[in-house]
Amino acid sequence: AQKITQTQPGMFVQEKEAVTLDCTYDTSDQSYGLFWYKQPSSGEMIFLIYQGSYDEQNATEGRYSLNFQKARKSANLVISASQLGDSAMYFCAMRERGNSGYSTLTFGKGTMLLVSP
Amino acid sequence: DAEITQSPRHKITETGRQVTLACHQTWNHNNMFWYRQDLGHGLRLIHYSYGVQDTNKGEVSDGYSVSRSNTEDLPLTLESAASSQTSVYFCASSESRRGRETQYFGPGTRLLVL
């Protein structure tokens, strides 16, 4: 079973509208972290937002918020007031501690977001 | 400003050659990681290190090796390059502290194996 599932290969949104990118995860760990990264066409990976499994409030960073539903094992990214510069690939990732005792990230396959004027 | 750099940014090599990709970070992070990115697969972990002299295999480690002789560098070596190793390679680093361990990424290296 995939540890991180992003079911939307592509999403379209109009400028200034809000958009939700879906992410579900699978882990048996009690302590884990969820991340979202943005990859624009230039290729770099940009950290956007983090949610810890014990955080009681949903994380927010400017126009980005993370809708964390622990019981449903979902960690959706919400982008408010979309801008043309938000057009990019978005990756959800989960940090968990493996058998080695070290924490590693597992990434989803990504969602391509296109923002139209 | 602290940063993480990768070199070369683009590399073309032939099947069977040994290739080394460099990764250098000035964040003074203990943890460093190598990923490959292929269409339809997202990013997959190749090797990682949680400190000097420490190295660990990731999900797709066959055909790759790393060594960690100092905090700043984690070079990735392809022992005998194969066409299946054509990919974009990302290096990342994070600090060791309880909590986020957010990974910050280098700009990537595009490798083509002919």
Side-chain angles (χ1 to χ4, degrees), chain B residues 53-78:
Chain B
Q53 302 301 331
D54 175 73
T55 61
N56 304 278
K57 294 181 179 181
E59 177 189 355
V60 290
S61 62
D62 286 350
Y64 304 95
S65 64
V66 293
S67 62
R68 187 90 179 272
S69 58
N70 59 51
T71 300
E72 297 80 19
D73 300 288
L74 187 70
L76 177 72
T77 297
L78 287 68

Side-chain angles (χ1 to χ4, degrees), chain B residues 14-111:
Chain B
E14 295 178 340
T15 303
R17 289 190 182 263
Q18 185 181 78
V19 176
T20 297
L21 309 183
C23 175
H24 179 80
Q25 54 97 3
T26 58
W27 292 95
N28 200 32
H29 286 166
N30 281 334
N31 312 330
M32 296 184 73
F33 307 84
W34 273 104
Y35 296 89
R36 61 177 289 173
Q37 183 178 24
D38 305 288
L39 202 61
H41 287 280
L43 277 78
R44 294 181 291 175
L45 183 63
I46 304 172
H47 281 287
Y48 59 101
S49 168
Y50 262 59
V52 177
Q53 302 301 331
D54 175 73
T55 61
N56 304 278
K57 294 181 179 181
E59 177 189 355
V60 290
S61 62
D62 286 350
Y64 304 95
S65 64
V66 293
S67 62
R68 187 90 179 272
S69 58
N70 59 51
T71 300
E72 297 80 19
D73 300 288
L74 187 70
L76 177 72
T77 297
L78 287 68
E79 303 293 343
S80 177
S83 57
S84 60
Q85 294 177 309
T86 292
S87 186
V88 180
Y89 291 86
F90 285 97
C91 180
S93 69
S94 69
E95 57 183 347
S96 275
R97 69 166 66 167
R98 293 184 66 84
R100 298 186 175 197
E101 296 183 45
T102 301
Q103 291 186 21
Y104 296 94
F105 284 77
T109 294
R110 289 186 174 272
L111 176 67

Side-chain angles (χ1 to χ4, degrees), chain A residues 14 17 51-52 54 77 98-99:
Chain A
Q14 278 204 308
E17 291 186 348
Q51 179 85 40
Y54 292 118
L77 177 70
N99 294 332

